[in-house]
Amino acid sequence: MNVASSSPSSEAIKILTEILTARQKKNAFYTKTAFARDMGISQPQLSLVLSGRRPLTTAQAKKSSILLRLNESQERKLVEATMDRASGQVRERLEELEKIRQSKSFTALEYDRHASIAKWFHLPLLVLVTTKDFKNSPVWISKKLGITTDEAREALDRLLRLGLLVKEGKTLKMADRLSEVTPKKSESIVREHHVQMMKRAEEALQSQTDEAAWMMREISSLSVGCDPSKIPEAKTLIKKFKEDLTQLITQGEIRSVYQFNVQLFPITKD
């Protein structure tokens, strides 16, 4: 197996520069500061990476590819470009990567399962399939969710590969084996999913300001004194409420997809 002569750092710089340039062509006011923000790193960190003074780590590449909403090909290239920089380990890691890819599990293990949670539109797409007027068309899906046609097409392919969607004739349906994502600890991918969903709520508040939109949503908050020992019980009540709410609003004709977010967190510092 041949190992590329260019260093992983230089390849990552090339990929990031191409992505930045493409975004600046679309938006003349798009800056490196904005690019760093969208990558989930600081502007000084980005400068060090692009200048070759600090390598982009594999963990940063995975996180940034999700935050930047890169397509599957771009994700893979950026992550591979950050593989171990120690020359003695490069061949071993690349051969391991090749074995996983040949077993046809690379995409699902390294990208699909993470992206299906972290990229906000995957889970809503699963629900969109259940709506009355659903059309198995990336163009239709992109308009419904406000994403690009490529994102819709890649999301469909990813959910089908994972078995979360199944084909039924010319249409699609959710798989029977779907289950709730309930992490046992704080997971970066799940945290990013929640961050993206909260941003969607912010966008709804900022862009949908008419009375009709207000009538069709409920976004409110409550500040309350709390005994921290009661939080586990409170989380159980929230879970029960989510189940009851789901039972209520899924009755009847399913025509829209809604997102329900709950935030319960300490606002004061110990």
Side-chain angles (χ1 to χ4, degrees):
M1 182 179 186
N2 294 325
V3 179
S5 58
S6 60
S7 72
S9 293
S10 62
E11 184 63 24
I13 292 170
K14 177 183 175 182
I15 294 170
L16 291 175
T17 301
E18 289 175 351
I19 295 170
L20 173 59
T21 301
R23 292 187 172 212
Q24 289 177 328
K25 285 182 179 179
K26 290 183 178 180
N27 180 1
F29 298 101
Y30 192 78
T31 64
K32 287 185 178 180
T33 300
F35 188 52
R37 177 203 63 208
D38 292 344
M39 285 181 62
I41 63 177
S42 68
Q43 198 279 329
Q45 281 181 305
L46 177 62
S47 295
L48 290 172
V49 169
L50 293 180
S51 65
R53 288 178 288 170
R54 177 182 294 179
L56 186 73
T57 67
T58 301
Q60 287 175 327
K62 289 180 178 180
K63 177 183 177 181
S64 294
S65 66
I66 291 170
L67 293 176
L68 292 170
R69 295 167 67 174
L70 303 184
N71 61 40
E72 187 177 324
S73 175
Q74 289 174 315
E75 284 184 84
R76 183 181 293 109
K77 288 179 180 178
L78 183 58
V79 171
E80 289 182 12
T82 62
M83 289 296 184
D84 294 298
R85 279 154 288 279
S87 58
Q89 297 177 350
V90 172
R91 181 178 294 277
E92 178 183 346
R93 289 296 298 274
L94 288 176
E95 288 178 348
E96 176 186 351
L97 184 64
E98 185 64 22
K99 287 179 182 178
I100 296 173
R101 186 181 289 115
Q102 289 175 354
S103 71
K104 298 183 180 180
S105 61
F106 176 80
T107 300
L109 290 175
E110 294 297 317
Y111 296 99
D112 285 353
R113 295 189 186 282
H114 289 275
S116 66
I117 298 173
K119 291 187 177 181
W120 71 266
F121 46 83
H122 286 81
L123 298 184
L125 174 53
L126 282 175
V127 182
L128 184 62
V129 167
T130 69
T131 58
K132 179 184 177 182
D133 300 320
F134 174 75
K135 294 181 181 178
N136 185 10
S137 162
V139 174
W140 184 86
I141 292 169
S142 69
K143 291 179 180 178
K144 277 290 186 180
L145 294 179
I147 59 179
T148 67
T149 304
D150 284 343
E151 286 175 329
R153 185 177 294 107
E154 288 167 7
L156 283 173
D157 291 342
R158 180 173 286 125
L159 294 172
L160 283 166
R161 282 195 300 269
L162 290 173
L164 300 177
L165 283 181
V166 293
K167 288 186 176 179
E168 193 173 71
K170 292 184 178 181
T171 188
L172 301 169
K173 70 173 186 177
M174 279 201 296
D176 295 333
R177 65 181 183 83
L178 289 179
S179 59
E180 182 181 6
V181 178
T182 307
K184 301 298 183 182
K185 62 179 181 179
S186 180
E187 299 281 358
S188 62
I189 297 298
V190 177
R191 291 198 302 271
E192 180 53 35
H193 170 81
H194 292 314
V195 167
Q196 291 190 27
M197 283 306 186
M198 285 187 281
K199 287 181 179 178
R200 303 299 295 180
E202 180 183 359
E203 289 173 10
L205 281 174
Q206 296 289 353
S207 63
Q208 302 170 19
T209 58
D210 59 276
E211 185 175 353
W214 177 78
M215 289 292 292
M216 296 305 295
R217 68 169 179 250
E218 173 61 31
I219 297 179
S220 57
S221 63
L222 173 68
S223 297
V224 60
C226 175
D227 176 355
S229 68
K230 300 293 185 181
I231 293 302
E233 185 178 352
K235 293 176 69 172
T236 299
L237 288 174
I238 290 172
K239 182 177 180 180
K240 177 63 167 56
F241 173 68
K242 289 193 297 182
E243 293 171 352
D244 292 343
L245 179 66
T246 300
Q247 286 291 325
L248 172 66
I249 63 178
T250 56
Q251 295 175 10
E253 188 176 82
I254 306 300
R255 295 187 292 111
S256 301
V257 179
Y258 270 62
Q259 178 67 26
F260 179 64
N261 298 329
V262 180
Q263 290 89 43
L264 177 65
F265 60 94
I267 205 74
T268 52
K269 301 184 184 298
D270 293 334

